[in-house]
Amino acid sequence: MGKADKKTHYCGTLNHDHVNNRVKLAGWVGKRRDHGGLIFIDLRDRSGVMQLVFDQQAGAELFRQAENLRSEYVVAVEGEVVGRSEDTINPDLPTGDIELRVEVMEVLNPSKTPPFYIEDDIYVDENLRLRYRYLDLRRPEMLGRLQLRHRAVKMVRDYMDRYDFLEIETPMLTRSTPEGARDFLVPSRMHPGEFYALPQSPQLFKQLLMVSGVERYFQIVRCFRDEDLRADRQPEFTQVDIETSFFGQENLFALIEGLAALLWREIKGIDIKLPFLRMPYREAMNRFGSDKPDLRFGMELVDLNDLAVKSQFKVFTSALENGGSVKGLRVENGKKMSRKDLDDLTLLARQLGARGLAWVYVEENGWRSPISKFFDNALIDDINRKMNAGVDDVLLFVADTWQTTCNVLGYLRRHLAPDVIAAAPHFLWVVDFPLFHYDEEEKRFESDHHPFTAPRVEDVPILESDPLGVRAQAYDLVLDGVEIGGGSTRIHDSAIQERIFKLLGLSEEESREKFGFLLEALSFGAPPHGGIALGLDRLVALLSGDESIRQVIPFPKTAAASCLMTSAPANVDDKQLSELKIELQKQQEED
RNA sequence: GGAGCUGUGGUGUAGAUGGUUAACAUAUCGGCCUGUCAAGCCGAAGACCGCGGGUUCGAGUCCCGUCAGCUCCGCCA
């Protein structure tokens, strides 16, 4: 690449070896320190900062120019790199032992005073940062995140290339399919009244590429889901999408583990242990109350079905009679929680769907609790023993359906977790997910992963007779309580695929209409195939140590899915609507 | 759809029980200053307290509504 005309070096790349060199630099004015006859400017560019020195004696005209510099002015300078004298070295700056004695300066563009400081560790309303995102990104730590993301993406591409994967693009304008998240729709001008959907993932296309004989596909691809946002969920997000034929789950796991190890080693300097732990879904739920357990700390849930049945406590016994379960969570040294704290936890448990939360303070001679009267001393001892409880602990119990019991205690486990920031990363594969769950609202079975997931071969015979008992060949990759990826072995047999559609309540006509192309493709010699998708935004956020993926997305949406910089979404002209033959409904009256 | 938190000069904050000149820091502007790097010193300007309504003699402070941001539940195959 040719040299930039305004600069011969990046500020941050200059060092003591450049002393006596003539260089040209260009960038933004950071801090300005005006001593009257001597002015220091911190010139900032992508790479770092270089101190510029303007001496009154060096020329009146240049000095007058320097006096007029303000924050964020864009300037190009030319001068000589000089070493600083011993007593003026700034050890806090990478370039702190040199400075640029400016001889020529050109102001390329002035700047309004920015609405917030262009520096690291600012504490500004995110509102403002998002409205002026281009200024927010100018801050070194944000440019650093962009760079980190670039490096991660490049490593992924190089790694996949090394293993013969082809990066192939798939359509952004595709068709809406039932199941899954709400689609973003795009109206068609050529086909009035018809709509494209933006892809929730390239799922079908990557499977079709397997039918095409690609064998190893990947793509770093934007996906769209019109659902409510979270700190780790944006309406558009990026997946590392992977699909393989003739590969097998073991190879896929090894491939992904190698990739994760590479990223963590190169970016975080951490050698992670391979292979990753694997845990069946049932076990994850039973022990941690989550299908994405954080293994950095213990606090495992304890199954109390066998003991709870011996109590006189109706809440426990009736839950068990109804086929539910009773589990406990031990909060070490929980006595520092007040009665009020426990009431708050109870409220939380209710909001999460439990009918209530039972709690006891473990004391020298028994339990202090409203429910202690339902338990005799022997039973209390047994429960204490099973939960490994000692004096000053608090025990929390939930009795409900198995699912609710696990979910609620799992939430409380996370909520009450000790500080584990410094712990080493704990990767794991969660495997053996159920193929279906039952949707109470829709009164039908739904795919737990997606409808193209293969059932375990030995469970195929019970597909129709016991759908909820069927296990899927699906897996999630979990890191420290965050789901960073998920995938499955796919159905490559059109007959089984049709049975699955039927179980999901799709009529034959419907599945023909919506998925006919897939069923047909599967009948033309589809190879056995499977794959995975990794959440790139989450991955990068974990690598950069950020809580929210907004930090690693250059132009993210707010929790209400709008862009504060462009004000998207926005109204469109009537002309645009009429071209699309779209008429807006009148605003609904109240109620 | 629901819950919680936040909203005061450009920015970050303070403003007990409602009382009338809304405080501090920093940024900004001006002056002084040749070695600073959180430069320093002196001075100036800058908010009617997200918005709307209500209670009150009087509201940044209480009430209702609304908007925006954040977090969580639902939702996210």
Side-chain angles (χ1 to χ4, degrees), chain A residues 26 58 61 70 84 94 114 285 294 315 335 359 382 402 489 495:
Chain A
E61 179 54 35
R70 292 295 179 269
R84 297 200 202 177
M285 293 300 288
D294 188 342
V315 172
K335 80 162 180 190
W359 48 263
D382 285 346
W402 176 78
T489 299

Side-chain angles (χ1 to χ4, degrees), chain A residues 336-354 356-359 361 396 408 411-412 415-416:
Chain A
K336 58 175 185 267
M337 288 193 291
S338 67
R339 176 63 196 266
K340 168 86 166 54
D341 293 332
L342 291 171
D343 286 344
D344 289 345
L345 286 184
T346 305
L347 194 65
L348 191 58
R350 288 222 177 85
Q351 285 164 350
L352 294 169
L357 180 73
W359 48 263
Y361 288 99
L396 305 173
V408 170
Y411 188 94
L412 294 178
H415 186 73
L416 300 168

Side-chain angles (χ1 to χ4, degrees), chain A residues 1-10:
Chain A
M1 193 185 76
K3 282 213 173 114
D5 67 332
K6 299 291 187 194
K7 58 199 292 181
T8 56
H9 296 76
Y10 283 110

Side-chain angles (χ1 to χ4, degrees), chain A residues 205-277:
Chain A
F205 291 103
K206 68 173 171 175
Q207 288 190 238
L208 294 169
L209 286 171
M210 294 303 104
V211 179
S212 304
V214 166
E215 301 196 27
R216 299 185 182 196
Y217 145 94
F218 86 104
Q219 186 181 187
I220 292 173
V221 62
R222 199 68 57 83
C223 302
F224 305 86
R225 294 179 190 175
D226 187 7
E227 298 292 347
D228 286 357
L229 291 81
R230 288 288 188 282
D232 62 353
R233 272 167 34 191
Q234 285 273 308
E236 53 177 309
F237 61 99
T238 304
Q239 278 185 182
V240 179
D241 196 45
I242 294 170
E243 195 76 10
T244 61
S245 300
F246 315 118
F247 205 69
Q249 184 184 297
E250 289 305 319
N251 281 325
L252 188 66
F253 279 20
L255 179 82
I256 300 303
E257 289 172 3
L259 177 58
L262 174 73
L263 291 170
W264 256 256
R265 186 175 63 242
E266 293 298 317
I267 292 179
K268 303 213 53 135
I270 295 175
D271 279 309
I272 57 184
K273 245 187 283 156
L274 301 184
F276 296 162
L277 189 66

Side-chain angles (χ1 to χ4, degrees), chain A residues 207-208 210-213 492-495 512 516-528:
Chain A
Q207 288 190 238
L208 294 169
M210 294 303 104
V211 179
S212 304
H492 64 279
D493 174 332
S494 58
R512 288 275 159 206
F517 64 99
L518 175 71
L519 292 170
E520 195 170 24
L522 293 180
S523 71
F524 279 110

Side-chain angles (χ1 to χ4, degrees), chain A residues 119-378:
Chain A
E119 61 189 37
D120 288 348
D121 302 317
I122 57 171
Y123 188 71
V124 189
D125 199 23
E126 200 171 346
N127 206 320
L128 249 203
R129 290 177 54 203
L130 290 175
R131 188 148 96 239
Y132 298 97
R133 188 60 158 182
Y134 45 89
L135 295 180
D136 189 35
L137 293 175
R138 198 184 275 175
R139 298 163 47 233
E141 58 176 281
M142 292 304 282
L143 286 172
R145 287 182 171 96
L146 296 181
Q147 188 185 23
L148 172 72
R149 184 167 179 139
H150 163 80
R151 284 177 58 212
V153 165
K154 174 151 169 40
M155 278 178 220
V156 170
R157 285 210 162 94
D158 291 345
Y159 179 88
M160 296 309 288
D161 177 67
R162 213 174 307 138
Y163 285 95
D164 289 334
F165 283 78
L166 302 183
E167 182 164 18
I168 301 174
E169 292 173 87
T170 51
M172 288 288 115
L173 296 176
T174 176
R175 67 168 296 155
S176 177
T177 53
E179 297 277 316
R182 200 174 288 118
D183 285 316
F184 278 102
L185 297 178
V186 179
S188 161
R189 176 181 56 80
M190 311 266 261
H191 304 273
E194 298 186 355
F195 295 83
Y196 301 98
L198 302 179
Q200 297 178 25
S201 85
Q203 184 60 38
L204 276 327
F205 291 103
K206 68 173 171 175
Q207 288 190 238
L208 294 169
L209 286 171
M210 294 303 104
V211 179
S212 304
V214 166
E215 301 196 27
R216 299 185 182 196
Y217 145 94
F218 86 104
Q219 186 181 187
I220 292 173
V221 62
R222 199 68 57 83
C223 302
F224 305 86
R225 294 179 190 175
D226 187 7
E227 298 292 347
D228 286 357
L229 291 81
R230 288 288 188 282
D232 62 353
R233 272 167 34 191
Q234 285 273 308
E236 53 177 309
F237 61 99
T238 304
Q239 278 185 182
V240 179
D241 196 45
I242 294 170
E243 195 76 10
T244 61
S245 300
F246 315 118
F247 205 69
Q249 184 184 297
E250 289 305 319
N251 281 325
L252 188 66
F253 279 20
L255 179 82
I256 300 303
E257 289 172 3
L259 177 58
L262 174 73
L263 291 170
W264 256 256
R265 186 175 63 242
E266 293 298 317
I267 292 179
K268 303 213 53 135
I270 295 175
D271 279 309
I272 57 184
K273 245 187 283 156
L274 301 184
F276 296 162
L277 189 66
R278 298 184 196 184
M279 189 181 294
Y281 166 80
R282 282 294 292 194
E283 182 183 343
M285 293 300 288
N286 273 321
R287 291 174 58 194
F288 302 98
S290 169
D291 63 358
K292 44 178 202 284
D294 188 342
L295 301 186
R296 287 174 298 177
F297 61 102
M299 279 184 83
E300 295 194 20
L301 315 191
V302 180
D303 190 291
L304 296 173
N305 287 1
D306 53 336
L307 296 174
V309 74
K310 297 188 215 163
S311 80
Q312 308 299 311
F313 190 34
K314 275 266 171 45
V315 172
F316 283 11
T317 55
S318 71
L320 292 172
E321 278 159 26
N322 292 325
S325 51
V326 179
K327 286 176 183 294
L329 176 67
R330 166 175 164 259
V331 184
E332 197 178 347
N333 200 23
K335 80 162 180 190
K336 58 175 185 267
M337 288 193 291
S338 67
R339 176 63 196 266
K340 168 86 166 54
D341 293 332
L342 291 171
D343 286 344
D344 289 345
L345 286 184
T346 305
L347 194 65
L348 191 58
R350 288 222 177 85
Q351 285 164 350
L352 294 169
R355 270 178 293 251
L357 180 73
W359 48 263
V360 305
Y361 288 99
V362 180
E363 299 188 330
E364 206 71 64
N365 40 18
W367 285 355
R368 183 161 58 85
S369 166
I371 66 162
S372 59
K373 57 177 176 282
F374 301 117
F375 299 78
D376 61 42
N377 287 336

